[in-house]
Amino acid sequence: MDPENAPWWTRAVVYQVYPRSFMDSDGDGIGDLGGVLERLDHLADLGIDVLWLSPVYPSPQADNGYDISDYQDIDPLFGTLAQLDELIAELHRRGMRLVMDLVVNHTSDEHPWFVESRSGPDSPKRDWYWWRPPRSRMAGGDPGAEPTNWQSFFSGSTWEYDETSGEYYLHLFDRKQPDLNWENPDVRQAVYAMMRWWLDRGVDGFRMDVINMISKDLSGRDGVPDGHLHDGPPLPGSALGDGSASYLCGPRIHEFLQEMHREVFAGRDAALLTVGEMPGVTVEQARLFTDPAGAEVDMVFQFEHVGLDQGSSKWDVRPLKMRDLKASLGRWQAGLADVGWNSLYWDNHDQPRAVSRFGDDSPEFRRDSATCLATLLHLHRGTPYVYQGQEIGMANYPFASVDDFQDIESVNHFATEMVAGEDPTTVLAALRRMSRDNARTPVQWDDSKSAGFTTGTPWLPVNPDHVEWNAAAQRDDPGSVLAHYRRLIALRHGLPVVALGDFAMLLPEHDEVYAFTRSLQDDVLLVMCNVSRAPYPLAELLPGAVGAELVLGNLAVADATVLRPWEARVLRIS
C-alpha cells in the first residue's frame, strides 16, 4: 500500500460502544445515546477516530439489540433519532466518525417483514426468509423432522417449527432471529435502500454483523440416511451437526458484497468505512474480501486468534500457547501484507475481557499486562479496535452463580449442559471464563456506588473492583492504563511506520516473549513484549535491543538489558 495514498482508516483507531453498558443518562439503569453524548470528550481525549456503535435500533432485545424489528429508527430504550443526529454532529465536530452496526443476516421475528412472511405460504414476503417443509416422511414438530440437523450458535436446532403453516424457518442464532433470504433480490434492494438512508443522514459507514453468512446453500443439505449432514458430523455431545459449510462464505457472497458496494457506497464523496465481521474466514478469503480491486469491504473482523484457547467449543477452555498466537497473527500479517487489510482486537461485546483471558488480572500485574497486551496489538499492521473499558484495564466479573448471567448464549448453554447431565461446577467455571456478560458489565467511570454509569440500578451489576479501577482515577495519572492507550494511539497517528510498515516476526518459537519488527523505508521499529511473570535478559534473545532508542514503553526502564514481567518496549533500531 502506497504510504502517500493510503486510505485514512490505515491510521485510524476505532472505539466500540456497547450502548446498553456505556453510560446511562436517564437513571433507568440502561445505557443510552444521551450517555454516549455525555462521554464523547473521553473518546476525544483518548484520540479515537471512529466510534462503532452497537445496535440501538428498535428491538425486543432477545439478543441485546442484534434482533432488529425496525432498521430505520431508534429504540426508545436508547433514545431518539434526534439524539442520533446530534451524536453524528458532535462526533464530526470533534473530528470523529460514526460507524453503525449493520445486522442484515437476520431480523427480529417481530420485524414487519417477518410478520408478513409468517402470515402464510402465499404471503408476498414468504420467500424473504428461509421456509422449508419437514424432512421427508416426517411430521412437522416431531424430533428430527427439521429440514437439516444444523446446530444453532445459541444451542438447539437452527429450525423453528411454525404450526400455522406446517413449515420451519431458519435461524442460525436465536429462534427470534430468523435469517433473511438474500437470494431474493427484493430483500437485497430493501437492505441497500436502508443503508443509503443512514449514509444520507450522516453515518460514516457500517460494521457488518456476520456478513459472510448472508449467502447460503440449502440445496441437497437435508441430511443423509444416517442422520449426519453433508457439511459435518454431529457436534460433540449433541445429535445436531455443523452446517457451516453451507453458510460461511457461501456461493454468492462476493457477488452480494460487490453489488452492495455498487448500490450503496460507489460514487459517494465521503470518507466511509466498511468492516465485515466474518466468523471462520481464512486469510485467503480475507484477501479477496478486502482487495480494493474487488470493491467489497475495507477490512475484515476475523476470529482465528480468539479461538486459540478453545477446544471443541468456546466453553472448552485451554491455556493459550504463545507459539500458536504468533503463528496465527503472523500468518494474517503476511497474508495481507500486499493486498487487503485486517482489524486488530482483543476485546469486543462477544469476548471476555482480555486482561483476564490473555493477561494477568492479579493486583500485582493487572496494569502491566493490560498495557503490554495493548502494545502488542496496536503495533501490528491493521486497524486497532478498543472496546469500551479496555482502555482502563477492565476485567472479568466475579460471577457467583448461574443466576448472575443474563446473556442468552450463556443461559442456553447452561440449560443444555444440565439436560445432558454435565457437572454444573465445571460448566459454571467455563461460563465465568468465557461468557459474553464479562464484556457487558457497565463501564467504570468513577468509584461511586454504580461506577458513575447510572443513578439507578444497573441492568448488569457493576464489577466490585470499580472502586480502584475506573476512568476518573486514571485520567490524570501518567502511569495509568488510560495514559498508555493515549500514547499508543498517538504513535499510530504520528508514525507512518506503525500504520503502514512491513511486519516481520522474531522468536517465533519462544513461549513467553513476543517480538517483531515494523519497517518503512529507513524507519525500523523493534517491538518486544514479555507476556509472562518471568524476567528475560535481552542480550541472549535480542542483542540489537540493548542500547536502542526507546520510542514507547509501558514501564520505566530501570535496566535496559532485562525485559521485566509483562514489560513492553517499542525501540527504534535504525
Side-chain angles (χ1 to χ4, degrees):
M1 192 173 289
D2 178 7
E4 299 299 320
N5 299 297
W8 64 270
W9 36 258
T10 58
R11 303 180 302 278
V13 177
V14 182
Y15 187 99
Q16 182 189 358
V17 165
Y18 189 73
R20 173 179 283 268
S21 302
F22 187 67
M23 180 68 197
D24 171 27
S25 67
D26 59 10
D28 67 354
I30 297 173
D32 47 42
L33 290 177
V36 179
L37 283 160
E38 285 181 24
R39 298 293 185 178
L40 285 187
D41 287 341
H42 173 78
L43 305 188
D45 176 64
L46 196 53
I48 294 300
D49 303 282
V50 180
L51 188 163
W52 155 25
L53 186 65
S54 287
V56 289
Y57 314 97
S59 166
Q61 301 294 319
D63 187 24
N64 286 348
Y66 282 86
D67 50 318
I68 297 170
S69 56
D70 183 348
Y71 285 115
Q72 292 177 232
D73 203 352
I74 301 298
D75 196 303
L77 191 70
F78 298 122
T80 65
L81 267 175
Q83 283 181 303
L84 194 281
D85 292 338
E86 184 183 358
L87 178 61
I88 293 170
E90 288 298 316
L91 284 167
H92 290 175
R93 188 170 68 81
R94 291 169 171 82
M96 292 185 277
R97 295 178 170 90
L98 178 66
V99 164
M100 297 281 279
D101 231 311
L102 181 79
V103 188
V104 291
N105 174 71
H106 47 265
T107 68
S108 165
D109 66 345
E110 297 181 29
H111 194 291
W113 295 348
F114 187 73
V115 173
E116 170 61 36
S117 181
R118 197 176 200 168
S119 66
D122 297 328
S123 162
K125 284 190 168 60
R126 186 66 168 184
D127 66 349
W128 281 44
Y129 295 83
W130 294 98
W131 290 94
R132 291 291 184 271
R135 198 178 292 257
S136 178
R137 297 186 298 278
M138 296 190 76
D142 287 352
E146 297 84 4
T148 70
N149 67 352
W150 301 350
Q151 177 163 309
S152 157
F153 286 100
F154 290 169
S155 303
S157 171
T158 58
W159 295 97
E160 182 73 8
Y161 185 57
D162 176 59
E163 290 189 6
T164 303
S165 65
E167 291 190 325
Y168 291 85
Y169 65 83
L170 178 71
H171 60 91
L172 296 183
F173 295 89
D174 187 62
R175 64 179 180 82
K176 287 185 67 62
Q177 295 171 291
D179 281 43
L180 283 165
N181 177 11
W182 275 68
E183 294 294 319
N184 186 330
D186 292 339
V187 169
R188 303 200 301 275
Q189 289 304 319
V191 168
Y192 302 154
M194 172 268 291
M195 295 172 71
R196 290 191 293 267
W197 184 85
W198 281 111
L199 293 182
D200 291 344
R201 209 169 187 100
V203 168
D204 301 291
F206 300 96
R207 174 268 187 188
M208 304 174 182
D209 188 68
V210 296
I211 198 66
N212 63 324
M213 298 185 188
I214 59 175
S215 173
K216 300 175 176 69
D217 176 12
L218 269 70
S219 62
R221 301 292 181 176
D222 288 343
V224 291
D226 64 359
H228 294 187
L229 291 179
H230 298 295
D231 298 86
L235 299 169
S238 171
L240 298 172
D242 175 14
S244 60
S246 288
Y247 56 75
L248 287 185
C249 302
R252 300 183 69 188
I253 185 62
H254 293 290
E255 176 190 344
F256 291 160
L257 290 178
Q258 288 166 7
E259 180 184 75
M260 177 190 288
H261 188 275
R262 289 195 306 272
E263 295 276 343
V264 179
F265 302 104
R268 285 186 178 262
D269 184 21
L272 304 176
L273 177 63
T274 56
V275 184
E277 185 207 28
M278 298 186 175
V281 72
T282 65
V283 176
E284 293 72 27
Q285 291 167 335
R287 282 175 63 92
L288 294 175
F289 285 121
T290 60
D291 185 343
E296 296 185 30
V297 295
D298 295 323
M299 64 186 74
V300 296
F301 221 85
Q302 54 88 15
F303 294 81
E304 183 177 294
H305 65 297
V306 292
L308 297 174
D309 59 347
Q310 300 163 21
S312 58
S313 76
K314 71 176 282 182
W315 310 109
D316 180 15
V317 188
R318 312 286 178 86
L320 174 66
K321 296 179 181 177
M322 194 49 51
R323 294 184 191 189
D324 293 345
L325 182 66
K326 292 177 184 179
S328 175
L329 296 186
R331 182 167 55 253
W332 280 87
Q333 291 287 300
L336 300 180
D338 57 334
V339 172
W341 201 255
N342 194 18
S343 304
L344 307 171
Y345 72 97
W346 290 123
D347 292 9
N348 61 40
H349 65 289
D350 285 334
Q351 303 293 332
R353 291 289 181 178
V355 72
S356 299
R357 182 182 185 183
F358 301 127
D360 185 336
D361 61 8
S362 67
E364 183 179 3
F365 291 113
R366 180 163 164 182
R367 180 262 170 210
D368 297 349
S369 70
T371 52
C372 181
L373 289 174
T375 306
L376 189 160
L377 187 80
H378 280 243
L379 266 293
H380 278 69
R381 192 171 188 265
T383 296
Y385 286 65
V386 180
Y387 178 68
Q388 61 184 41
Q390 186 178 9
E391 76 278 16
I392 57 171
M394 281 182 62
N396 281 356
Y397 184 86
F399 295 99
S401 75
V402 68
D403 296 331
D404 292 340
F405 295 91
Q406 290 197 25
D407 175 44
I408 189 170
E409 181 188 42
S410 302
V411 172
N412 286 357
H413 173 69
F414 187 85
T416 300
E417 294 300 282
M418 292 307 95
V419 170
E422 297 297 327
D423 175 26
T425 303
T426 302
V427 177
L428 186 58
L431 287 179
R432 287 192 184 103
R433 292 280 300 277
M434 301 301 290
S435 173
R436 302 190 301 179
D437 279 334
N438 283 302
R440 301 175 181 187
T441 58
V443 172
Q444 297 161 203
W445 296 107
D446 59 39
D447 62 1
S448 62
K449 180 182 177 183
S450 294
F453 165 72
T454 182
T455 56
T457 301
W459 75 280
L460 266 184
V462 171
N463 196 314
D465 69 11
H466 75 277
V467 176
E468 179 181 359
W469 291 88
N470 61 74
Q474 297 187 28
R475 188 161 294 119
D476 298 321
D477 178 2
S480 67
V481 178
L482 182 60
H484 190 73
Y485 267 87
R486 287 192 202 108
R487 291 190 286 268
L488 278 173
I489 293 169
L491 201 65
R492 175 166 292 267
H493 290 161
L495 294 182
V497 66
V498 175
L500 296 167
D502 294 335
F503 177 97
M505 186 71 74
L506 306 175
L507 309 176
E509 301 302 317
H510 201 284
D511 290 323
E512 295 181 328
V513 174
Y514 194 116
F516 54 92
T517 59
R518 300 292 310 283
S519 309
L520 184 65
Q521 298 168 349
D522 295 330
D523 199 5
V524 182
L525 300 181
L526 168 62
V527 183
M528 308 177 299
C529 301
N530 180 3
V531 289
S532 77
R533 292 187 173 195
Y536 280 97
L538 289 178
E540 302 171 15
L541 285 177
L542 298 161
V546 179
E549 175 195 352
L550 181 68
V551 176
L552 180 67
N554 70 332
L555 302 177
V557 178
D559 182 352
T561 67
V562 175
L563 200 61
R564 285 168 290 168
W566 292 105
E567 182 174 6
R569 291 186 209 166
V570 181
L571 305 171
R572 179 167 279 112
I573 57 176
S574 74

